[in-house]
Amino acid sequence: MFASKGIYIKNHSEIELMRESALLVGATLAEVSKHIKFGVKTKELDMIAEDFIYSHNAIPTFKGYNGFPASLCISINEVIIHGIPGEREIKEGDVISIDCGVTLNGWVGDSAYTFATKGISEEAKKLLQCTKNSLYAGINKCILGQRVGDVGAEIQNYCESFGYGVVREFCGHGVGKKMHEKPDVPNYGKKGSGIKFCEGMVIAVEPMITMGKKDVMIEKDEWTCRTVDMSIAAHFEHDVAITINTPDVLSNFEQIEIVIKQNDNLELV
Ligand code: MG
Ligand code: MG
């Protein structure tokens, strides 16, 4: 049902369907992370994800979305989001953000994880840790009585306290039958501002944080979004349902992190 301002409110059974979609994204990213090896091409990782998603009776939501050509966004180092998989090979020391969306039973799951390959700098590890922490700091504000601006303020204040850049041009969003629903959930903002959370809202919280300045540019392919100053970036994303109790995080990173520990080319940070 639609609440005010065009926000689609999900009932209990719809949220359970969305959990299945979100968990399938986690399972897909875990499958992909088994194959992150030095020398592998990003298009090979994309094919693994696509096959995995179809074999679970789901559809890769990104493929064809506004013309996007692949099932994953794979964004390396200074690329923040929307990197197009292709011939590029994974190298030691790369920071690899992978964003994935699936549509299962008509419901979208949308989640992202930034992987540390063996050999990344201590500085880069700190950026990844901070970005992941900021995701959970933002999620902790996804409760009744809080507003969209409280999530943004939390993420912004936390990341800026480390001197990092908080990307303004892209943001989190409502998620449901469509990947991008109302409301927008910026990663910056003022406490107490914006739409108030109510039970049954489901939102994707997704901080995009840079080691340098916050300014971004889009490459000629009209998708790849990178930092202007070429500083590296990180991106983590969870789907979260607002309940009368604590935030209900529908996606999870557990399977991904089990695989990371078993993959010699990756490091858990
Ligand atoms: Mg995403
Ligand atoms: Mg998203």
Side-chain angles (χ1 to χ4, degrees):
M1 94 182 185
F2 282 97
S4 60
K5 302 183 174 85
I7 295 170
Y8 191 107
I9 299 299
K10 286 83 178 173
N11 64 31
H12 179 74
S13 56
E14 290 173 329
I15 287 173
E16 289 314 307
L17 288 169
M18 289 198 68
R19 192 188 313 282
E20 284 182 35
S21 304
L23 292 177
L24 180 56
V25 177
T28 306
L29 289 173
E31 181 64 25
V32 168
S33 49
K34 289 179 191 168
H35 300 272
I36 302 178
K37 302 280 179 190
F38 302 142
V40 74
K41 289 179 177 166
T42 53
K43 70 175 188 185
E44 297 176 78
L45 298 177
D46 185 60
M47 279 317 299
I48 288 160
E50 191 169 311
D51 291 345
F52 189 85
I53 293 165
Y54 281 124
S55 74
H56 287 78
N57 302 314
I59 296 163
T61 315
F62 293 2
K63 197 154 190 178
Y65 187 88
N66 291 336
F68 190 77
S71 296
L72 297 176
C73 295
I74 304 183
S75 307
I76 299 178
N77 298 333
E78 73 280 0
V79 180
I80 308 160
I81 50 166
H82 299 169
I84 300 174
E87 299 296 327
R88 184 166 178 173
E89 294 179 3
I90 302 296
K91 291 203 310 279
E92 194 169 338
D94 279 343
V95 169
I96 308 164
S97 299
I98 306 186
D99 196 349
C100 179
V102 308
T103 307
L104 175 67
N105 302 312
W107 294 92
V108 174
D110 179 16
S111 179
Y113 194 92
T114 299
F115 295 86
T117 58
K118 211 178 84 184
I120 74 162
S121 66
E122 290 303 314
E123 275 181 303
K125 284 183 198 170
K126 224 176 111 185
L127 174 74
L128 269 52
Q129 280 159 357
C130 170
T131 307
K132 203 205 279 187
N133 290 344
S134 78
L135 168 65
Y136 292 107
I139 288 171
N140 284 337
K141 295 291 172 185
C142 294
I143 52 177
L144 297 186
Q146 298 287 303
R147 292 172 182 272
V148 162
D150 294 303
V151 174
E154 198 69 16
I155 292 170
Q156 179 183 12
N157 293 339
Y158 183 76
C159 294
E160 287 182 350
S161 75
F162 291 84
Y164 296 142
V166 177
V167 171
R168 301 295 202 269
E169 286 81 357
F170 297 91
C171 61
H173 49 90
V175 57
K177 285 185 176 166
K178 289 194 290 184
M179 181 157 60
H180 293 123
E181 295 186 351
K182 288 182 179 177
D184 282 348
V185 184
N187 296 306
Y188 64 96
K190 280 203 177 69
K191 277 185 185 175
S193 70
I195 283 167
K196 207 179 207 174
F197 291 125
C198 56
E199 189 186 358
M201 281 173 67
V202 181
I203 57 170
V205 181
E206 50 177 319
M208 300 154 217
I209 308 299
T210 72
M211 203 188 277
K213 295 208 170 87
K214 66 182 188 307
D215 309 289
V216 310
M217 60 163 289
I218 309 294
E219 302 273 18
K220 279 196 204 102
D221 61 22
E222 297 184 349
W223 281 105
T224 308
C225 170
R226 71 158 170 89
T227 55
V228 171
D229 64 7
M230 298 295 277
S231 64
I232 66 165
H235 176 214
F236 288 87
E237 177 179 26
H238 270 318
D239 300 334
V240 185
I242 313 296
T243 76
I244 53 167
N245 299 307
T246 50
D248 186 1
V249 183
L250 305 179
S251 41
N252 83 52
F253 297 151
E254 269 174 44
Q255 283 176 272
I256 297 169
E257 294 188 339
I258 288 169
V259 175
I260 289 173
K261 286 183 200 157
Q262 295 165 344
N263 183 332
D264 291 341
N265 289 182
L266 293 176
E267 255 189 79
L268 184 62
V269 296

